[in-house]
Tab-separated table of all heavy atoms in Angstrom:
chain	number	residue	atom	x	y	z
A	1	MET	N	9.679	-11.608	18.047
A	1	MET	CA	8.258	-11.428	18.469
A	1	MET	C	7.405	-11.773	17.208
A	1	MET	O	7.599	-11.224	16.203
A	1	MET	CB	8.069	-10.025	19.000
A	1	MET	CG	6.614	-9.715	19.348
A	1	MET	SD	6.514	-8.057	20.037
A	1	MET	CE	6.451	-8.294	21.716
A	2	PRO	N	6.287	-12.475	17.496
A	2	PRO	CA	5.334	-12.745	16.405
A	2	PRO	C	4.717	-11.439	15.787
A	2	PRO	O	4.450	-10.550	16.528
A	2	PRO	CB	4.336	-13.721	17.001
A	2	PRO	CG	4.905	-14.218	18.115
A	2	PRO	CD	5.913	-13.188	18.685
A	3	LYS	N	4.513	-11.407	14.529
A	3	LYS	CA	3.955	-10.262	13.854
A	3	LYS	C	2.665	-9.885	14.411
A	3	LYS	O	2.283	-8.752	14.470
A	3	LYS	CB	4.052	-10.381	12.363
A	3	LYS	CG	5.326	-10.844	11.793
A	3	LYS	CD	5.985	-9.735	11.002
A	3	LYS	CE	7.260	-10.177	10.256
A	3	LYS	NZ	8.225	-10.614	11.129
A	4	GLY	N	1.830	-10.899	14.702
A	4	GLY	CA	0.446	-10.638	15.109
A	4	GLY	C	0.315	-10.139	16.523
A	4	GLY	O	-0.762	-9.718	16.935
A	5	LYS	N	1.421	-10.077	17.210
A	5	LYS	CA	1.448	-9.617	18.631
A	5	LYS	C	1.991	-8.117	18.728
A	5	LYS	O	2.311	-7.729	19.784
A	5	LYS	CB	2.319	-10.501	19.492
A	5	LYS	CG	1.887	-11.973	19.413
A	5	LYS	CD	0.604	-12.116	20.143
A	5	LYS	CE	0.221	-13.631	20.187
A	5	LYS	NZ	-1.051	-13.870	20.704
A	6	GLY	N	1.876	-7.435	17.649
A	6	GLY	CA	2.241	-6.008	17.695
A	6	GLY	C	3.772	-5.720	17.446
A	6	GLY	O	4.222	-4.638	17.732
A	7	GLY	N	4.477	-6.635	16.939
A	7	GLY	CA	5.975	-6.512	16.693
A	7	GLY	C	6.142	-5.638	15.434
A	7	GLY	O	5.190	-5.383	14.589
A	8	HIS	N	7.358	-5.078	15.289
A	8	HIS	CA	7.754	-4.304	14.123
A	8	HIS	C	7.802	-5.154	12.870
A	8	HIS	O	8.409	-6.259	13.000
A	8	HIS	CB	9.058	-3.607	14.387
A	8	HIS	CG	9.607	-2.848	13.247
A	8	HIS	ND1	9.106	-1.691	12.793
A	8	HIS	CD2	10.622	-3.178	12.313
A	8	HIS	CE1	9.718	-1.316	11.758
A	8	HIS	NE2	10.745	-2.178	11.465
A	9	ILE	N	7.276	-4.680	11.791
A	9	ILE	CA	7.325	-5.482	10.555
A	9	ILE	C	8.549	-5.015	9.805
A	9	ILE	O	8.616	-3.770	9.388
A	9	ILE	CB	6.068	-5.276	9.781
A	9	ILE	CG1	4.810	-5.619	10.534
A	9	ILE	CG2	6.085	-6.089	8.472
A	9	ILE	CD1	3.535	-5.218	9.841
A	10	ARG	N	9.580	-5.812	9.615
A	10	ARG	CA	10.733	-5.440	8.879
A	10	ARG	C	10.394	-5.166	7.368
A	10	ARG	O	9.584	-5.965	6.779
A	10	ARG	CB	11.759	-6.653	8.959
A	10	ARG	CG	12.487	-6.681	10.276
A	10	ARG	CD	13.522	-7.759	10.401
A	10	ARG	NE	14.547	-7.563	9.196
A	10	ARG	CZ	15.211	-8.555	8.804
A	10	ARG	NH1	15.084	-9.739	9.289
A	10	ARG	NH2	16.103	-8.366	7.867
A	11	GLY	N	10.974	-4.215	6.751
A	11	GLY	CA	10.852	-3.899	5.349
A	11	GLY	C	9.688	-3.039	5.076
A	11	GLY	O	9.427	-2.765	3.914
A	12	ILE	N	9.000	-2.604	6.121
A	12	ILE	CA	7.750	-1.678	5.881
A	12	ILE	C	8.062	-0.397	6.546
A	12	ILE	O	8.542	-0.387	7.682
A	12	ILE	CB	6.468	-2.320	6.433
A	12	ILE	CG1	6.186	-3.749	5.939
A	12	ILE	CG2	5.311	-1.426	6.245
A	12	ILE	CD1	5.981	-3.723	4.350
A	13	VAL	N	7.828	0.656	5.865
A	13	VAL	CA	8.088	2.013	6.397
A	13	VAL	C	7.243	2.242	7.671
A	13	VAL	O	6.133	1.777	7.844
A	13	VAL	CB	7.613	3.087	5.294
A	13	VAL	CG1	7.746	4.467	5.840
A	13	VAL	CG2	8.443	2.933	4.074
A	14	ALA	N	7.888	2.977	8.600
A	14	ALA	CA	7.182	3.262	9.931
A	14	ALA	C	5.894	3.862	9.687
A	14	ALA	O	5.872	4.819	8.915
A	14	ALA	CB	8.241	4.085	10.705
A	15	GLY	N	4.954	3.516	10.425
A	15	GLY	CA	3.597	4.109	10.374
A	15	GLY	C	2.739	3.478	9.218
A	15	GLY	O	1.575	3.962	9.087
A	16	ARG	N	3.213	2.604	8.449
A	16	ARG	CA	2.520	2.007	7.295
A	16	ARG	C	2.216	0.557	7.512
A	16	ARG	O	1.631	-0.145	6.550
A	16	ARG	CB	3.197	2.205	6.060
A	16	ARG	CG	3.587	3.689	5.739
A	16	ARG	CD	2.345	4.420	5.328
A	16	ARG	NE	1.924	4.069	4.025
A	16	ARG	CZ	0.693	4.256	3.599
A	16	ARG	NH1	-0.180	4.887	4.283
A	16	ARG	NH2	0.229	3.882	2.350
A	17	GLY	N	2.375	0.102	8.756
A	17	GLY	CA	2.146	-1.337	9.021
A	17	GLY	C	0.779	-1.772	8.881
A	17	GLY	O	0.396	-2.799	8.401
A	18	LYS	N	-0.164	-0.870	9.375
A	18	LYS	CA	-1.628	-1.239	9.303
A	18	LYS	C	-2.106	-1.373	7.830
A	18	LYS	O	-2.873	-2.197	7.480
A	18	LYS	CB	-2.455	-0.183	10.058
A	18	LYS	CG	-2.293	-0.288	11.534
A	18	LYS	CD	-3.244	0.664	12.224
A	18	LYS	CE	-3.084	0.595	13.711
A	18	LYS	NZ	-3.928	1.612	14.424
A	19	VAL	N	-1.537	-0.533	7.004
A	19	VAL	CA	-1.839	-0.483	5.524
A	19	VAL	C	-1.388	-1.796	5.007
A	19	VAL	O	-2.109	-2.520	4.292
A	19	VAL	CB	-1.231	0.635	4.810
A	19	VAL	CG1	-1.474	0.560	3.279
A	19	VAL	CG2	-1.800	1.929	5.359
A	20	TYR	N	-0.159	-2.225	5.350
A	20	TYR	CA	0.431	-3.481	4.807
A	20	TYR	C	-0.437	-4.619	5.209
A	20	TYR	O	-0.730	-5.498	4.429
A	20	TYR	CB	1.845	-3.592	5.368
A	20	TYR	CG	2.421	-4.992	5.154
A	20	TYR	CD1	2.814	-5.377	3.874
A	20	TYR	CD2	2.578	-5.923	6.176
A	20	TYR	CE1	3.294	-6.632	3.691
A	20	TYR	CE2	3.131	-7.122	6.005
A	20	TYR	CZ	3.508	-7.513	4.702
A	20	TYR	OH	4.011	-8.760	4.531
A	21	GLU	N	-0.818	-4.669	6.536
A	21	GLU	CA	-1.548	-5.777	7.056
A	21	GLU	C	-2.988	-5.807	6.386
A	21	GLU	O	-3.545	-6.947	6.064
A	21	GLU	CB	-1.802	-5.680	8.505
A	21	GLU	CG	-0.523	-5.942	9.333
A	21	GLU	CD	-0.030	-7.414	9.220
A	21	GLU	OE1	-0.818	-8.316	8.877
A	21	GLU	OE2	1.209	-7.625	9.384
A	22	ALA	N	-3.590	-4.705	6.105
A	22	ALA	CA	-4.964	-4.668	5.421
A	22	ALA	C	-4.886	-5.155	4.050
A	22	ALA	O	-5.702	-5.811	3.586
A	22	ALA	CB	-5.411	-3.193	5.498
A	23	LEU	N	-3.664	-4.825	3.350
A	23	LEU	CA	-3.640	-5.237	1.883
A	23	LEU	C	-3.122	-6.626	1.718
A	23	LEU	O	-3.377	-7.278	0.681
A	23	LEU	CB	-2.704	-4.255	1.155
A	23	LEU	CG	-3.205	-2.804	1.023
A	23	LEU	CD1	-2.023	-2.037	0.366
A	23	LEU	CD2	-4.396	-2.723	0.208
A	24	LYS	N	-2.460	-7.138	2.653
A	24	LYS	CA	-1.752	-8.427	2.576
A	24	LYS	C	-2.673	-9.630	2.250
A	24	LYS	O	-2.300	-10.405	1.360
A	24	LYS	CB	-0.852	-8.706	3.859
A	24	LYS	CG	0.058	-9.896	3.650
A	24	LYS	CD	0.907	-10.015	4.897
A	24	LYS	CE	0.168	-10.358	6.211
A	24	LYS	NZ	0.944	-10.696	7.280
A	25	GLY	N	-3.762	-9.606	2.828
A	25	GLY	CA	-4.777	-10.655	2.591
A	25	GLY	C	-5.256	-10.728	1.161
A	25	GLY	O	-5.515	-11.840	0.679
A	26	ARG	N	-5.437	-9.537	0.630
A	26	ARG	CA	-5.996	-9.477	-0.709
A	26	ARG	C	-4.926	-9.598	-1.850
A	26	ARG	O	-5.104	-10.207	-2.876
A	26	ARG	CB	-6.706	-8.161	-0.985
A	26	ARG	CG	-7.981	-8.114	-0.294
A	26	ARG	CD	-8.769	-6.840	-0.737
A	26	ARG	NE	-8.091	-5.580	-0.194
A	26	ARG	CZ	-8.063	-4.432	-0.798
A	26	ARG	NH1	-8.570	-4.313	-2.008
A	26	ARG	NH2	-7.445	-3.346	-0.295
A	27	LEU	N	-3.786	-9.016	-1.598
A	27	LEU	CA	-2.742	-8.837	-2.681
A	27	LEU	C	-1.546	-9.686	-2.526
A	27	LEU	O	-0.788	-9.949	-3.470
A	27	LEU	CB	-2.316	-7.374	-2.762
A	27	LEU	CG	-3.364	-6.373	-2.953
A	27	LEU	CD1	-2.736	-4.959	-2.952
A	27	LEU	CD2	-4.038	-6.523	-4.254
A	28	GLY	N	-1.294	-10.262	-1.285
A	28	GLY	CA	-0.082	-11.059	-1.057
A	28	GLY	C	0.956	-10.123	-0.475
A	28	GLY	O	0.859	-8.856	-0.523
A	29	LYS	N	1.989	-10.767	0.054
A	29	LYS	CA	2.962	-9.956	0.851
A	29	LYS	C	3.767	-8.993	-0.013
A	29	LYS	O	3.977	-7.833	0.295
A	29	LYS	CB	3.942	-10.844	1.553
A	29	LYS	CG	3.232	-11.613	2.741
A	29	LYS	CD	4.318	-12.211	3.590
A	29	LYS	CE	4.880	-13.532	2.891
A	29	LYS	NZ	5.721	-14.309	3.732
A	30	THR	N	4.220	-9.347	-1.148
A	30	THR	CA	5.094	-8.536	-2.001
A	30	THR	C	4.405	-7.393	-2.556
A	30	THR	O	4.906	-6.264	-2.431
A	30	THR	CB	5.625	-9.427	-3.183
A	30	THR	OG1	6.366	-10.585	-2.662
A	30	THR	CG2	6.650	-8.602	-4.069
A	31	ARG	N	3.179	-7.530	-3.088
A	31	ARG	CA	2.446	-6.450	-3.644
A	31	ARG	C	2.053	-5.462	-2.583
A	31	ARG	O	2.082	-4.219	-2.721
A	31	ARG	CB	1.274	-6.888	-4.483
A	31	ARG	CG	1.778	-7.538	-5.840
A	31	ARG	CD	0.571	-8.151	-6.513
A	31	ARG	NE	-0.370	-7.138	-7.053
A	31	ARG	CZ	-1.616	-7.371	-7.499
A	31	ARG	NH1	-2.069	-8.581	-7.491
A	31	ARG	NH2	-2.324	-6.344	-7.884
A	32	ALA	N	1.556	-6.032	-1.385
A	32	ALA	CA	1.156	-5.180	-0.312
A	32	ALA	C	2.412	-4.358	0.313
A	32	ALA	O	2.147	-3.173	0.489
A	32	ALA	CB	0.603	-6.067	0.844
A	33	ALA	N	3.536	-4.913	0.317
A	33	ALA	CA	4.647	-4.234	0.781
A	33	ALA	C	5.078	-3.058	-0.195
A	33	ALA	O	5.326	-1.986	0.164
A	33	ALA	CB	5.922	-5.136	0.952
A	34	LYS	N	4.898	-3.351	-1.507
A	34	LYS	CA	5.242	-2.274	-2.445
A	34	LYS	C	4.342	-1.091	-2.357
A	34	LYS	O	4.738	0.041	-2.410
A	34	LYS	CB	5.189	-2.864	-3.951
A	34	LYS	CG	6.319	-3.717	-4.247
A	34	LYS	CD	6.167	-4.271	-5.648
A	34	LYS	CE	7.311	-5.212	-6.002
A	34	LYS	NZ	7.137	-5.821	-7.388
A	35	ILE	N	3.014	-1.352	-2.178
A	35	ILE	CA	2.061	-0.290	-2.061
A	35	ILE	C	2.205	0.444	-0.742
A	35	ILE	O	2.247	1.673	-0.707
A	35	ILE	CB	0.621	-0.898	-2.180
A	35	ILE	CG1	0.395	-1.292	-3.589
A	35	ILE	CG2	-0.388	0.208	-1.816
A	35	ILE	CD1	-0.870	-2.122	-3.786
A	36	ALA	N	2.424	-0.270	0.370
A	36	ALA	CA	2.597	0.388	1.693
A	36	ALA	C	3.808	1.258	1.720
A	36	ALA	O	3.787	2.302	2.236
A	36	ALA	CB	2.681	-0.691	2.758
A	37	ASN	N	4.932	0.728	1.120
A	37	ASN	CA	6.128	1.584	1.165
A	37	ASN	C	6.138	2.694	0.187
A	37	ASN	O	6.837	3.729	0.464
A	37	ASN	CB	7.292	0.557	0.862
A	37	ASN	CG	7.668	-0.248	2.018
A	37	ASN	OD1	7.420	0.024	3.146
A	37	ASN	ND2	8.233	-1.435	1.732
A	38	ALA	N	5.326	2.588	-0.909
A	38	ALA	CA	5.355	3.633	-1.903
A	38	ALA	C	4.727	4.928	-1.337
A	38	ALA	O	5.184	5.982	-1.741
A	38	ALA	CB	4.605	3.138	-3.099
A	39	GLY	N	3.776	4.827	-0.495
A	39	GLY	CA	3.002	5.985	-0.001
A	39	GLY	C	3.594	6.515	1.248
A	39	GLY	O	2.818	6.417	2.315
A	40	GLN	N	4.835	6.978	1.288
A	40	GLN	CA	5.429	7.356	2.517
A	40	GLN	C	4.822	8.675	3.099
A	40	GLN	O	4.709	8.920	4.250
A	40	GLN	CB	6.944	7.519	2.372
A	40	GLN	CG	7.591	6.054	2.199
A	40	GLN	CD	9.069	6.245	2.100
A	40	GLN	OE1	9.663	7.071	2.740
A	40	GLN	NE2	9.689	5.397	1.324
A	41	THR	N	4.403	9.615	2.133
A	41	THR	CA	3.920	10.882	2.548
A	41	THR	C	2.457	11.013	2.123
A	41	THR	O	2.008	10.218	1.121
A	41	THR	CB	4.750	12.068	1.897
A	41	THR	OG1	4.526	12.044	0.509
A	41	THR	CG2	6.142	11.924	2.375
A	42	LYS	N	1.728	11.995	2.626
A	42	LYS	CA	0.296	12.103	2.157
A	42	LYS	C	0.288	12.521	0.720
A	42	LYS	O	-0.615	12.069	-0.018
A	42	LYS	CB	-0.354	13.220	3.047
A	42	LYS	CG	-1.863	13.314	2.775
A	42	LYS	CD	-2.495	14.321	3.787
A	42	LYS	CE	-4.035	14.252	3.685
A	42	LYS	NZ	-4.554	14.232	2.378
A	43	THR	N	1.225	13.324	0.277
A	43	THR	CA	1.275	13.721	-1.169
A	43	THR	C	1.458	12.487	-2.065
A	43	THR	O	0.741	12.381	-3.044
A	43	THR	CB	2.434	14.754	-1.368
A	43	THR	OG1	2.255	15.836	-0.467
A	43	THR	CG2	2.416	15.273	-2.811
A	44	ASP	N	2.352	11.588	-1.686
A	44	ASP	CA	2.617	10.394	-2.434
A	44	ASP	C	1.282	9.541	-2.538
A	44	ASP	O	0.963	9.089	-3.571
A	44	ASP	CB	3.690	9.616	-1.801
A	44	ASP	CG	5.055	10.106	-2.009
A	44	ASP	OD1	5.210	10.974	-2.849
A	44	ASP	OD2	6.050	9.712	-1.332
A	45	ARG	N	0.608	9.394	-1.441
A	45	ARG	CA	-0.555	8.636	-1.368
A	45	ARG	C	-1.690	9.281	-2.185
A	45	ARG	O	-2.426	8.586	-2.816
A	45	ARG	CB	-1.028	8.417	0.073
A	45	ARG	CG	-0.075	7.495	0.854
A	45	ARG	CD	-0.632	7.086	2.165
A	45	ARG	NE	-0.831	8.120	3.138
A	45	ARG	CZ	0.078	8.616	3.902
A	45	ARG	NH1	1.301	8.130	3.895
A	45	ARG	NH2	-0.255	9.555	4.757
A	46	SER	N	-1.804	10.560	-2.120
A	46	SER	CA	-2.784	11.232	-2.957
A	46	SER	C	-2.517	11.028	-4.404
A	46	SER	O	-3.444	10.770	-5.195
A	46	SER	CB	-2.823	12.725	-2.582
A	46	SER	OG	-3.693	13.450	-3.378
A	47	ARG	N	-1.214	11.119	-4.796
A	47	ARG	CA	-0.908	10.901	-6.244
A	47	ARG	C	-1.248	9.515	-6.676
A	47	ARG	O	-1.778	9.331	-7.793
A	47	ARG	CB	0.617	11.228	-6.362
A	47	ARG	CG	1.005	11.209	-7.838
A	47	ARG	CD	2.542	11.487	-7.938
A	47	ARG	NE	2.896	12.669	-7.264
A	47	ARG	CZ	3.966	12.819	-6.560
A	47	ARG	NH1	4.841	11.821	-6.273
A	47	ARG	NH2	4.267	13.968	-5.986
A	48	MET	N	-0.945	8.585	-5.763
A	48	MET	CA	-1.211	7.193	-6.104
A	48	MET	C	-2.800	7.003	-6.271
A	48	MET	O	-3.241	6.250	-7.249
A	48	MET	CB	-0.784	6.194	-4.992
A	48	MET	CG	0.792	6.115	-4.942
A	48	MET	SD	1.305	5.275	-3.417
A	48	MET	CE	0.405	3.754	-3.514
A	49	ALA	N	-3.588	7.588	-5.456
A	49	ALA	CA	-4.977	7.445	-5.474
A	49	ALA	C	-5.628	8.007	-6.706
A	49	ALA	O	-6.541	7.495	-7.349
A	49	ALA	CB	-5.686	8.071	-4.231
A	50	LYS	N	-5.083	9.223	-7.147
A	50	LYS	CA	-5.469	9.819	-8.368
A	50	LYS	C	-5.177	8.961	-9.576
A	50	LYS	O	-5.964	8.933	-10.501
A	50	LYS	CB	-4.888	11.194	-8.523
A	50	LYS	CG	-5.433	12.195	-7.521
A	50	LYS	CD	-4.783	13.643	-7.634
A	50	LYS	CE	-5.318	14.501	-6.571
A	50	LYS	NZ	-4.615	15.847	-6.469
A	51	LYS	N	-4.032	8.434	-9.613
A	51	LYS	CA	-3.610	7.570	-10.747
A	51	LYS	C	-4.492	6.401	-10.764
A	51	LYS	O	-4.913	5.955	-11.836
A	51	LYS	CB	-2.100	7.128	-10.574
A	51	LYS	CG	-1.622	6.337	-11.751
A	51	LYS	CD	-0.169	5.961	-11.566
A	51	LYS	CE	0.336	5.255	-12.841
A	51	LYS	NZ	-0.305	3.842	-12.914
A	52	ALA	N	-4.797	5.760	-9.662
A	52	ALA	CA	-5.675	4.592	-9.629
A	52	ALA	C	-7.037	4.927	-10.053
A	52	ALA	O	-7.688	4.185	-10.813
A	52	ALA	CB	-5.713	4.045	-8.062
A	53	ALA	N	-7.543	6.106	-9.758
A	53	ALA	CA	-8.897	6.513	-10.318
A	53	ALA	C	-8.828	6.754	-11.733
A	53	ALA	O	-9.768	6.284	-12.392
A	53	ALA	CB	-9.237	7.879	-9.512
A	54	ARG	N	-7.788	7.283	-12.265
A	54	ARG	CA	-7.596	7.496	-13.737
A	54	ARG	C	-7.660	6.130	-14.465
A	54	ARG	O	-8.309	5.850	-15.432
A	54	ARG	CB	-6.399	8.250	-14.146
A	54	ARG	CG	-6.496	9.668	-13.881
A	54	ARG	CD	-5.387	10.479	-14.565
A	54	ARG	NE	-4.089	9.904	-14.349
A	54	ARG	CZ	-3.182	10.220	-13.319
A	54	ARG	NH1	-3.650	11.212	-12.521
A	54	ARG	NH2	-2.132	9.715	-13.230
A	55	THR	N	-6.983	5.081	-13.840
A	55	THR	CA	-6.872	3.748	-14.386
A	55	THR	C	-8.193	3.106	-14.414
A	55	THR	O	-8.652	2.523	-15.467
A	55	THR	CB	-5.823	2.988	-13.609
A	55	THR	OG1	-4.586	3.577	-13.647
A	55	THR	CG2	-5.760	1.493	-14.172
A	56	ARG	N	-8.923	3.177	-13.211
A	56	ARG	CA	-10.236	2.676	-13.193
A	56	ARG	C	-11.183	3.247	-14.210
A	56	ARG	O	-12.025	2.629	-14.865
A	56	ARG	CB	-10.830	2.725	-11.788
A	56	ARG	CG	-10.176	1.793	-10.755
A	56	ARG	CD	-10.989	1.823	-9.461
A	56	ARG	NE	-11.144	3.091	-8.873
A	56	ARG	CZ	-10.192	3.566	-7.962
A	56	ARG	NH1	-9.096	2.928	-7.707
A	56	ARG	NH2	-10.463	4.776	-7.441
A	57	GLN	N	-11.074	4.595	-14.342
A	57	GLN	CA	-11.990	5.364	-15.214
A	57	GLN	C	-11.804	4.904	-16.750
A	57	GLN	O	-12.630	4.618	-17.394
A	57	GLN	CB	-11.663	6.866	-15.152
A	57	GLN	CG	-12.564	7.632	-16.031
A	57	GLN	CD	-14.028	7.693	-15.537
A	57	GLN	OE1	-14.303	7.768	-14.362
A	57	GLN	NE2	-15.017	7.703	-16.525
A	58	ARG	N	-10.416	4.746	-17.006
A	58	ARG	CA	-10.129	4.373	-18.345
A	58	ARG	C	-10.607	2.914	-18.716
A	58	ARG	O	-11.094	2.615	-19.810
A	58	ARG	CB	-8.580	4.495	-18.549
A	58	ARG	CG	-8.201	4.586	-20.029
A	58	ARG	CD	-6.777	4.606	-20.082
A	58	ARG	NE	-6.176	3.380	-19.524
A	58	ARG	CZ	-4.877	3.108	-19.295
A	58	ARG	NH1	-4.061	4.036	-19.626
A	58	ARG	NH2	-4.456	1.988	-18.777
A	59	ARG	N	-10.494	2.063	-17.664
A	59	ARG	CA	-10.874	0.627	-17.922
A	59	ARG	C	-12.344	0.525	-18.055
A	59	ARG	O	-12.889	-0.449	-18.586
A	59	ARG	CB	-10.323	-0.244	-16.863
A	59	ARG	CG	-8.791	-0.447	-16.938
A	59	ARG	CD	-8.307	-1.276	-15.800
A	59	ARG	NE	-6.870	-1.459	-15.909
A	59	ARG	CZ	-6.123	-1.975	-15.022
A	59	ARG	NH1	-6.616	-2.327	-13.846
A	59	ARG	NH2	-4.779	-2.021	-15.178
A	60	ALA	N	-13.103	1.440	-17.439
A	60	ALA	CA	-14.554	1.336	-17.463
A	60	ALA	C	-15.144	1.643	-18.812
A	60	ALA	O	-16.230	1.250	-19.208
A	60	ALA	CB	-15.219	2.184	-16.381
A	61	ASP	N	-14.340	2.473	-19.621
A	61	ASP	CA	-14.850	2.923	-20.909
A	61	ASP	C	-14.819	1.849	-21.927
A	61	ASP	O	-14.125	0.830	-21.895
A	61	ASP	CB	-13.993	4.115	-21.429
A	61	ASP	CG	-14.278	5.353	-20.592
A	61	ASP	OD1	-15.268	5.391	-19.900
A	61	ASP	OD2	-13.421	6.326	-20.575
């Protein structure tokens, strides 16, 4: 089944397909998959967001 028709995306954690699709256009398939799969739980995603905020803050200085 074509991916654009609502099929299961292999290699992406269940429930994270929309995130993968949203990131894929900007980052490419590999980087989008790494990010989508990394945040399996809300705690993981919150930790990732806080780290990203710290990185942005540090680069702005």
Side-chain angles (χ1 to χ4, degrees):
M1 177 178 259
K3 307 252 185 300
K5 301 292 183 186
H8 173 73
I9 305 169
R10 285 181 55 202
I12 304 298
V13 176
R16 301 290 288 161
K18 288 183 180 179
V19 174
Y20 169 73
E21 290 295 337
L23 295 174
K24 189 171 66 169
R26 287 188 290 145
L27 303 177
K29 290 192 287 188
T30 302
R31 288 175 67 195
K34 285 180 182 178
I35 291 171
N37 287 335
Q40 293 184 32
T41 66
K42 188 173 190 313
T43 305
D44 288 344
R45 291 191 294 276
S46 178
R47 187 181 305 138
M48 288 167 58
K50 287 176 184 175
K51 182 178 183 294
R54 283 195 308 271
T55 300
R56 288 192 302 271
Q57 181 71 38
R58 198 183 61 189
R59 288 180 180 168
D61 290 340

